[in-house]
Structures are given as structure tokens and as C-alpha cells.
Amino acid sequence: ISRTAMTLRELRPGQSATIEQVDARQPGVVRLMVLGLIEGVEVQYQNCAIGGDPMELSVFGTAISVRKQQAGCFKISPLTADV
């Protein structure tokens, strides 16, 4: 089964996802991991600045701002609302 990998960069406001994989080679990504953006964590896109960058994510009830360039380092699985 082949599936296109989605990244945090592609989330839309209000959408939630689980982080599946992190590429920590980009500068600043390790700092985001220390703040809680790690594999297995659920995140929700809350808001963004004018122009769309940075984006504001909610992780464990805390807002974290992430630049789109860094957001591309986090592979995710979107969560659906219909259960």
C-alpha cells in the first residue's frame, strides 16, 4: 500500500494529526522536539500569522509557533473527526 507522506506544513486550521516521523537534520527541529513535537504526539493547527508563516500548533494544551520550513520535517497522519 503506497501512501503519500503528509507533513505538518500541509495541515489546515482546526485539523489534527499524529506525528509519525521527525527529520531532525534541519536547524531548529531539535528545539521543537524538546518542546514536545515528537513521534506519537497529537497536534492541532490553531492559527497562523499573516501570510501563513509561522503556523501555531497546539501540543499538550500549549501553543507552539513553527516555521513552515521546519514543519516540513515532521511527517504526520491526519486524524479524522468522524469516529
Side-chain angles (χ1 to χ4, degrees):
I1 299 170
S2 114
R3 178 169 60 135
T4 13
M6 188 173 173
T7 66
L8 277 178
R9 180 184 187 110
E10 300 164 71
L11 275 182
R12 297 294 164 241
Q15 194 175 16
S16 295
T18 301
I19 297 175
E20 298 293 336
Q21 187 178 357
V22 182
D23 178 358
R25 293 176 292 181
Q26 174 92 18
V29 171
V30 172
R31 177 187 63 84
L32 294 171
M33 292 174 73
V34 169
L35 293 174
L37 293 178
I38 56 174
E39 293 171 5
V41 168
E42 184 179 319
V43 298
Q44 184 179 33
Y45 189 136
Q46 295 293 322
N47 210 341
C48 64
I50 295 173
D53 198 15
M55 58 196 298
E56 181 184 314
L57 302 172
S58 176
V59 182
F60 300 118
T62 302
I64 298 176
S65 291
V66 179
R67 292 190 175 140
K68 292 274 188 173
Q69 183 179 9
Q70 294 169 335
C73 297
F74 295 85
K75 288 190 172 41
I76 59 166
S77 291
L79 299 175
T80 55
D82 33 306
V83 174

